Amino acid sequence: MSSPPPAVRVGLGRGPSDHGVRIVDTPAVRVHHPADLVGIVLAALGVVLVLVLGVYAQATTSGLTEDVQGFSSIVRRILFVPVTVLEGLITFVAPLAVLAELIARRLLRQAFEAVGAAVAGVLVALAATWLITTFGTDELKAPLSVWVRGELRWVVTIPALLTGTAALLTAAGQRGRRRTVGWSWNLLWVGLGVAAVTNLVTLPGALLTVLLGRLVGLSVRYASGVQSERAYGNALVEGVRRAGFEPRRLVRVRDVADRSAEGDEVTGPDLAAIAITRYGDNRVYAMTTAEGERLDVVVLDGDRQVVGMLTRLWRSWRLRGLEGRGVVSLRQAAERAALLSYAAWSAGVCTPRLLGIAESEDSMLLIQEHAHGAVPLREIASDDLSDDALDAVWEQLLNAHAAGLAHRSLTSDVVLLDPSGECAHAEHVRQREDGSRPPVALLTGWESGDVASSELARRMDLSQMLAVLALRVGAERAVASAGRALPDDELTRTGPLLQSIVLPRATRDEARARRGVLAEVREALLARLPATDFEPERLVRFGARTVLMIMLTIVAATAVITTISFDEIAAALERAQPWWAAVVLVLGLATFVGSALALVAFAPVRLPLWRTTMVQAAAAFVALAAPAGIGPAALNLRMLQRRGVKSALAVASVGLVQVSQLITTLALLLVLYLVSGAQAPLRMPTTTVLVAFAVVLVAGGAAMLVPRVRGWVLAKAQPVWRQTWPRLVQMLAQPRRFAIAAAGNLIMTMGYVGAFWASLAAFDQDVRLIDLALIYLIGNAAGAAVPTPGGLGGVETALILGLTSTAGVGGAVATSVVVLFRALTYWARIPLGWVAMRALQRSGEL
């Protein structure tokens, strides 16, 4: 949103606009609609989709175009004017009518912006036509080209004037609020339809015309902002009156100056009202009625609903067990907030009572009681929070749950405490023996809640409340208060949900500032219930890393498929010796045994070799969804934890396995270098390779001189070293285990190197052992740095480059070698991994 002007006071007016109400507000004159930004993205995706369908589904789009053009004779009989004349009328009359309406409404700036959008739309259409004509392939030109009789050739056609008209109509505003915009869009669609039927433009060209116009018009609207249609001033007062109240003063909460324009005092800091602005991101007004009653007015603006809708939709997709929301409009959002507020009040929950609701302009007004004297938890010091106060908080939440309600967005701003012990529900007003009243808790902010909620939603509420209280009073007191309010089995089901993804953004930010608070809560729960397993429950369907992995996998697969020659590979595979493929498969399977031996050697408990080997096989299946190296480490850690090993010790043991693999690999390379049996056992790399290594070394050294980079490296390396070193010291006294681990690592490394050598032998290629090992180990490490499942794309590219540049193998043969190697050591093992994973899950090992 654009920066608002300084606070202004709308005083007692004169004339017909006199509403007799004193208003202190900061009205936003122009706003940047998030919906416009979403529309820009959708229009851009639509342009890409039309072009892709035009190229790869050319037969379908051409058939549709021909079917549509089959009605051309009928259309020509109906029309009494030429199509070009109709197009001219649409591109002249419609914009003129829209601009006239804007000028009549004194929206001169919007009229100028609409004209600018039209000019930009014409230029964009002309530029797109020139770019496709000049640089486009025949497949791209064909679906956008029409036969021009005068020129006797096919011409790429994107009607520039119609594109400019679409841009102008988009920039002029929504069709529901501008009558001329509504019927102008109808005329535009009719004109495009007639043009498509009469072969003046193709069907993809017509769609592209509208999408480019929408893209330009929305970009202009979002960049310059649009006239605010929120309820301010007179509209705000009229909305309050329609709800049945007569306001005397309306003061914007949090965004007001210390004094009004005329120096009158303004209501002082009101922590309860300020908390509403924090958790809801809505406008809040402190209203004083003509009778002197103090109420809160919460204003929901239509242009803000897109953000909330997208947030809810994203969380429902990402989190398991949360249903998607059908709230897509301002009225639906307000009605849902009213429903939850009434339901909470009826359930006996202490919450500000909703008194009225009204619509005004592009805003909905919710008028509710003011929580006099209540203070949000955020503003209360931990020493001032007694056990009675914590018990009161849990009491209100359990009252809501007993009625089937779930809040789903508990933060330190929606939980209020009233030290006076006042509550509108008489049953919550209690007295101590000394006659004093204990504090009463209030729960507000029910907009995101659920009626008839699921058990998972209520368990999430409990975990959110635990986190909120732990951030205020510490983990031990928070768990103790939960133990007084909840039975042990409820605590047992709540512990696995203590995850940052469950928490609202405000609570998540507080937890991030106090690192380790969720771990402290789990430890406190474990101390209270030592026989319980509080392993985090999987709630996330996918995360940002998963999306990135999918995108990189698509890019890598596309790069590999589009750069290799399948004819040459097929010819090379026909010449391959099939028995070597069996050798490759056997050596690839032998690596399972090697990695299992290393884990058995370093495990702090006794592990059966067969079960451990099955876990390594299951890692081959996990590699489908995890970057290279991550899957085996995660399953090894899980296996140790399931066998009772503490998390810290399990992490140290798995880290020691990985460190030992690195040391064994380096030692193996040194041995191969020494026993290679030649005067120059390792050929000098080419000048290009030497320069590349020098650049990498210099860049790495320069990066380490930057304090922030150096700190990041140390932050990543030091925890691993601290976890691994104590375990390494313990293992130094057991040389037999070291020997077993070294043997396992050798089997694993030599298994992969041997499989790579057998893949070369299948095509009658001979590469020196030291060079082969270097090509595989360096190529595998470089390719695995790409965060795709199993290093897909990166490993293949690195190995092919290594064979062609270092070993002198031809491109087609090198590609065939790598394809055979990866097919038998990666893809062929996935079904075996799936069988092993299923067996281990049934047996409870994983």
Side-chain angles (χ1 to χ4, degrees), residues 134-451:
T134 306
F135 302 103
T137 62
D138 293 338
E139 292 80 3
L140 181 60
K141 296 177 185 178
L144 302 174
S145 299
V146 296
W147 179 258
V148 179
R149 295 180 179 178
E151 301 182 17
L152 298 179
R153 63 188 181 92
W154 292 93
V155 177
V156 174
T157 303
I158 302 175
L161 291 178
L162 293 180
T163 303
T165 303
L168 182 143
L169 297 180
T170 302
Q174 299 177 1
R175 61 185 304 164
R177 292 186 175 273
R178 307 276 188 270
R179 181 175 298 179
T180 55
V181 173
W183 60 258
S184 295
W185 271 115
N186 295 335
L187 279 178
L188 178 63
W189 283 112
V190 170
L192 282 173
V194 171
V197 169
T198 55
N199 199 26
L200 293 179
V201 66
T202 63
L203 191 59
L207 294 176
L208 205 59
T209 298
V210 176
L211 289 172
L212 287 176
R214 292 284 297 173
L215 181 61
V216 173
L218 290 171
S219 300
V220 171
R221 277 176 50 174
Y222 188 76
S224 63
V226 296
Q227 187 75 23
S228 174
E229 296 180 349
R230 301 173 179 177
Y232 288 107
N234 290 339
L236 180 63
V237 172
E238 291 302 321
V240 173
R241 286 173 175 166
R242 278 196 294 273
F245 297 88
E246 184 59 42
R248 183 169 59 86
R249 181 170 60 180
L250 287 165
V251 180
R252 178 79 171 268
V253 176
R254 191 177 65 171
D255 288 339
V256 297
D258 292 336
R259 290 186 176 276
S260 63
E262 296 184 4
D264 296 334
E265 72 281 354
V266 177
T267 52
D270 192 327
L271 297 179
I274 291 175
I276 302 176
T277 66
R278 289 187 188 135
Y279 67 71
D281 195 25
N282 299 314
R283 287 187 286 143
V284 181
Y285 293 87
M287 181 175 73
T288 304
T289 65
E291 295 79 17
E293 186 179 8
R294 167 73 166 87
L295 301 175
D296 290 330
V297 180
V298 181
V299 182
L300 283 65
D301 296 313
D303 55 86
R304 298 293 306 169
Q305 295 309 305
V306 174
V307 177
M309 182 193 69
L310 293 178
T311 301
R312 290 190 295 269
L313 187 62
W314 170 253
R315 285 182 64 84
S316 65
W317 281 352
R318 191 182 181 197
L319 292 181
R320 299 176 184 272
L322 294 184
E323 74 283 358
R325 296 296 185 85
V327 177
V328 295
S329 68
L330 173 64
R331 176 175 288 275
Q332 288 175 328
E335 290 173 348
R336 185 176 186 84
L339 170 65
L340 266 297
S341 180
Y342 284 135
W345 174 264
S346 300
V349 179
C350 283
T351 185
R353 186 177 183 181
L354 183 65
L355 302 176
I357 183 171
E359 183 178 15
S360 181
E361 298 289 343
D362 193 28
S363 300
M364 293 292 295
L365 282 60
L366 303 177
I367 302 174
Q368 62 187 32
E369 292 178 340
H370 177 62
H372 293 279
V375 182
L377 282 185
R378 180 192 293 269
E379 307 295 340
I380 304 177
S382 59
D383 295 337
D384 297 333
L385 286 171
S386 63
D387 288 345
D388 287 341
L390 301 183
D391 294 342
V393 172
W394 286 109
E395 178 186 4
Q396 297 304 313
L397 183 59
L398 294 180
N399 285 341
H401 286 182
L405 303 179
H407 193 285
R408 287 181 48 170
S409 187
L410 291 168
T411 68
S412 57
D413 286 316
V414 304
V415 181
L416 310 180
L417 282 179
D418 187 352
S420 66
E422 296 287 345
C423 179
H425 292 286
E427 62 269 20
H428 295 302
V429 179
R430 299 189 302 270
Q431 288 188 345
R432 298 189 180 99
E433 295 180 356
D434 58 1
S436 63
R437 293 178 177 176
V440 169
L442 293 86
L443 293 183
T444 63
W446 290 92
E447 291 87 351
S448 301
D450 280 336
V451 294

Side-chain angles (χ1 to χ4, degrees), residues 546 549-550 553 618-628 631-632 788-792 826-827 829-831 833-834:
T546 304
M549 285 172 52
I550 293 174
T553 301
F621 174 70
V622 177
L624 271 176
T788 57
L792 180 64
Y826 179 70
W827 294 105
R829 304 194 306 177
I830 290 174
W834 180 81

